[in-house]
Amino acid sequence: MVQTLLQGLFVCATTWLLWKAFRKFVVKSDLDNLPGPPSPSFMYGHVRELYNKQTGFKYHRSLGEKYGPVVRLRGRFGSNLVYTFDPKAMHSIAIKDQDIFQEATWFTKATGIIFGPGIFATLGDHHRKQRKMLNPVFSVNHMRNMSPIFYDITHKLRTAIQDRVRDGHPAEVNIVSWMGRTALELMGQGGLGYSFDPLIADAGDEYGKALKDLMPTLAQVRGLHHHVPLFQKIVPKGWRRTVAELIPAPPLQRIIQIADTMRIRSTEIFEAKKKALLAGDEALKHQIGEGRDLISVLLRENMAAAEEDKLPEEELIGQMSTMTFAAMDSTSNALSLTLWRLAQHPERQDALRKEILEAKEAHGGGDIGYDELVALPYLDAVCRETLRVHTPAPFRFRETNRDVILPLSEPVRGKDGRMMHELHIPKNTSVFVGINASNTNPALWGPDAYEWKPERWLEPLPETVLNARIPGVYANLMTFWGGGRSCVGFKFSQLEMKVVLAVLLSTFTFELTEKPIYWNMATVQYPSTDPHGAHPELPMKVGLLKRDSVRA
Ligand code: HEM
């Protein structure tokens, strides 16, 4: 019975994919005139090149260098794929026509199953309604309230690392693992009012483990999650869970477990928050985060909102794992990238430390207050430059839900010699936006665009950057995307980075070890010491700072 069902599924999937591929070859569009490399495979198109852990960064760069900011590629089974970092095109994708360039259907459906009806899983007006409720939760005022929680957690991280730097000799520390644990705990306490990890001791929290395991497990299902829409079309609602449980793929079964754990634990935490909130301020003070965490704020905002703006409870719960997942790997790798760069540039590490220590002195040696910390110019320059050259999420993708005209900043010459000022993009075209490519575009940033030079932010930016009108929400960069689906947590993430860097650099020194470091192309890039990127690892020699060694 199961075998017949699976065979049926296979036949339907193959017929559907073949039909889609055939239709695309028959219907011609501007894309057929747009230059790009030949497809290396009918089955995968250029997808494996774009995602290749080892060569992906080089490949993305080569596309821009060879074809410019808009390139024709192929997706799976001969489907249309456009790769772009043209500013006007990105403006259309992220802002003007965002309801046409939507999140891919597999993405919203799969995230809906995994995280529940949170912000990843919704589109159009439904998504706008959720954003309306979430945006104020990340206001500067709430971020200011968040900073004591962040300092508290980062002091625990400092103690944990100090314990490993014995006898005053530098010790090898796996930075990416500690940044991962810290980012999860910062989001746990700051976001959910929940502690995943005391940091001092190793604790195996089941919810935290589920969140950490999700990305590596998704990598093992080899694109199975891309077929969720087809699965939902074929299998009736009441049968889906049973059928999924019968599929003999261990990573898929682990994902089902992970989704269950996240749903059960986030619901429990939510119910406890709601109870404390209804019991009044005194009860909230006894909770982790004392009611200042994002979910408590969201709950309060939702209770006070007009009836038509209120979100149902399952959507509030859906935000919890969604946000924690979105916050975790992105910020921890951004911090790892910053420390890795500072270790390569000891003179810049010293300059940043000097700025931080002087600001601490002005605070009687204590933690630097929120307003002073966010205004430190060199700290800000170091964060911006890292997020420019090494954006944690190097690309994002969209799918057109109808035919659309994509405007271009500069015309491109078609294969027939015709100059094209805009492109007709057919329905169901995949669009890849090269975030890293936009942030390091030499035509805008100059010939040193690929170099990590924080000082560039201490001077006025080049006119070419300012005139390009990059549609990103942050610093003329696409790092946090733009428009209605831009990163809701970018101020939270900036604060995390600045608090962690201020505490660590005023206590420790960071050097590279002899081991090679590879940054692997992925949805969120990560470091490893092996060229195949099997395990995230970033070893560094961490020493205790000797105050008299701080260079003037
Ligand atoms: C350096 C760290 C971060 C980077 C580089 C980053 C990057 C991004 C990008 C590029 C998007 C757009 C994705 C898309 O629509 O295709 C996004 C969305 C999002 N981010 Fe971040 N993010 C970071 C940190 C955070 C943090 C700390 C949080 C939460 C506290 C967060 C929560 C979210 C959420 C909820 C969305 C979905 C927004 C929506 O669809 O409306 N992110 N982020």
Side-chain angles (χ1 to χ4, degrees), residues 103 119-120 127 131 326-327 330 396 398 479-480 485 487 493:
E103 292 283 3
I119 195 124
F120 280 167
H127 176 264
R131 272 304 282 242
S330 52
R396 294 302 299 159
R398 292 291 189 264
T479 306
F480 295 103
R485 288 196 93 102
C487 178
S493 161

Side-chain angles (χ1 to χ4, degrees), residues 103 119-120 127 131 134 138 187 294 322-324 326-328 330-331 334 387 391-393 396-398 435 478-481 484-490 492-493 496-497:
E103 292 283 3
I119 195 124
F120 280 167
H127 176 264
R131 272 304 282 242
L134 275 179
F138 289 89
M187 185 58 201
L294 302 178
T322 305
M323 286 203 293
T324 313
M328 197 178 57
S330 52
T331 309
L387 292 169
T391 177
R396 294 302 299 159
F397 42 81
R398 292 291 189 264
I435 293 186
M478 285 306 285
T479 306
F480 295 103
W481 198 250
R485 288 196 93 102
S486 61
C487 178
V488 76
F490 84 94
F492 187 96
S493 161
E496 287 179 281
M497 287 180 73

Side-chain angles (χ1 to χ4, degrees), residues 116-147:
I119 195 124
F120 280 167
T122 53
L123 295 169
D125 287 342
H126 192 178
H127 176 264
R128 274 187 278 277
K129 185 174 173 190
Q130 291 197 350
R131 272 304 282 242
K132 189 170 172 194
M133 199 54 78
L134 275 179
N135 283 341
V137 171
F138 289 89
S139 70
V140 170
N141 258 348
H142 291 313
M143 292 306 107
R144 193 176 282 112
N145 285 338
M146 202 66 76
S147 58

Side-chain angles (χ1 to χ4, degrees), residues 71-273:
V71 188
R72 161 63 192 264
L73 298 176
R74 287 277 180 201
R76 289 188 167 86
F77 300 104
S79 60
N80 285 323
L81 196 158
V82 177
Y83 179 91
T84 187
F85 55 96
D86 175 285
K88 214 165 173 181
M90 292 192 301
H91 181 270
S92 161
I93 295 163
I95 299 179
K96 191 165 97 17
D97 300 311
Q98 59 178 292
D99 285 341
I100 301 174
F101 292 95
Q102 286 198 328
E103 292 283 3
T105 314
W106 68 261
F107 179 83
T108 49
K109 299 269 187 213
T111 52
I113 295 174
I114 296 171
F115 300 116
I119 195 124
F120 280 167
T122 53
L123 295 169
D125 287 342
H126 192 178
H127 176 264
R128 274 187 278 277
K129 185 174 173 190
Q130 291 197 350
R131 272 304 282 242
K132 189 170 172 194
M133 199 54 78
L134 275 179
N135 283 341
V137 171
F138 289 89
S139 70
V140 170
N141 258 348
H142 291 313
M143 292 306 107
R144 193 176 282 112
N145 285 338
M146 202 66 76
S147 58
I149 304 178
F150 284 7
Y151 272 119
D152 197 39
I153 296 164
T154 312
H155 292 159
K156 289 186 182 140
L157 167 71
R158 180 176 61 192
T159 307
I161 297 183
Q162 262 166 347
D163 287 348
R164 281 153 181 86
V165 186
R166 291 183 198 97
D167 311 327
H169 293 300
E172 190 174 303
V173 173
N174 183 3
I175 291 294
V176 75
S177 153
W178 281 104
M179 292 305 109
R181 289 176 68 170
T182 308
L184 180 62
E185 186 61 2
L186 288 167
M187 185 58 201
Q189 293 202 26
L192 311 186
Y194 175 77
S195 176
F196 287 106
D197 183 348
L199 289 173
I200 305 291
D202 289 336
D205 178 271
E206 199 198 355
Y207 187 15
K209 184 159 169 30
L211 283 155
K212 278 193 219 152
D213 283 358
L214 180 56
M215 197 71 126
T217 317
L218 277 173
Q220 288 168 26
V221 296
R222 294 176 179 274
L224 212 60
H225 47 306
H226 289 235
H227 303 302
V228 168
L230 180 65
F231 179 79
Q232 290 190 335
K233 258 186 203 149
I234 297 172
V235 184
K237 205 170 177 190
W239 279 72
R240 286 177 198 158
R241 169 92 192 200
T242 317
V243 173
E245 281 178 350
L246 287 171
I247 297 175
L252 177 68
Q253 299 313 319
R254 174 68 186 131
I255 288 176
I256 295 175
Q257 260 177 14
I258 289 175
D260 285 349
T261 305
M262 292 196 303
R263 192 189 62 255
I264 293 165
R265 296 296 296 122
S266 55
T267 308
E268 283 168 3
I269 298 167
F270 180 84
E271 290 302 336
K273 292 254 149 280

Side-chain angles (χ1 to χ4, degrees), residues 423-441:
L423 296 173
H424 172 254
I425 308 278
K427 182 179 171 179
N428 290 332
T429 299
S430 298
V431 179
F432 263 63
V433 173
I435 293 186
N436 211 41
S438 169
N439 289 356
T440 53
N441 183 356

